[in-house]
Amino acid sequence: MNSLEVFYDGGCPLCRREISYFRALKSRVPIIWLDLTDVHAQLPPELDRCSALARMHVRVNGQIYYKGAAAFATLWSQFAYWRMLGLLLKVPPVTWCADRLYSLFLKLRPRLQRWVQRQEKP
């Protein structure tokens, strides 16, 4: 793997916190962080903004896409303290379970976003 592109929802306070955390860490490969709420962000033609905002997407070497739990596994495996969890998440039965949990999280995400936004207000 030579490079990684992470497509994330910059309008989501949860996503911003997570991306901010990972941006501060040293990764094994260069990572390009693409905020999908930036209207000037150039998306690849095969990835539409709505789909990318609905689930986290990661592109490897400009070609291979991962979404949901597989995207997290790909991202996490690039960081020293997260590598083992990322590799574990790539095991098919674990990926399947993690994807189901991620789908559940996505249903709860709007409520969690509102809660975090209330916490962030002065």
Side-chain angles (χ1 to χ4, degrees):
M1 181 181 312
N2 298 325
S3 66
L4 202 65
E5 292 170 274
V6 177
F7 301 89
Y8 70 96
D9 182 355
C12 168
L14 301 167
C15 303
R16 281 195 312 267
R17 284 181 178 195
E18 180 177 8
I19 295 304
S20 176
Y21 169 79
F22 282 108
R23 286 181 92 152
L25 299 177
K26 183 179 178 189
S27 68
R28 297 163 37 111
V29 299
I31 299 177
I32 299 168
W33 306 93
L34 295 159
D35 178 356
L36 296 164
T37 60
D38 178 358
V39 293
H40 302 295
Q42 293 293 320
L43 295 183
E46 65 274 9
L47 182 64
D48 70 280
R49 197 171 303 272
C50 289
S51 295
L53 283 167
R55 288 180 100 68
M56 185 168 138
H57 284 68
V58 169
R59 185 164 73 161
V60 176
N61 298 333
Q63 297 176 358
I64 303 167
Y65 279 95
Y66 297 96
K67 63 182 179 178
F72 284 102
T74 303
L75 176 62
W76 292 348
S77 64
Q78 300 310 308
F79 299 98
Y81 295 111
W82 289 86
R83 185 164 172 70
M84 293 308 292
L85 183 59
L87 294 173
L88 176 65
L89 203 55
K90 289 182 179 186
V91 176
V94 178
T95 306
W96 184 86
C97 290
D99 241 354
R100 297 315 170 271
L101 289 172
Y102 184 57
S103 293
L104 177 62
F105 163 78
L106 291 175
K107 290 177 184 176
L108 299 172
R109 186 171 99 153
R111 289 183 191 154
L112 293 171
Q113 287 173 324
R114 287 190 297 274
W115 181 80
V116 169
Q117 286 171 337
R118 284 194 305 270
Q119 302 306 312
E120 288 178 341
K121 289 186 179 178

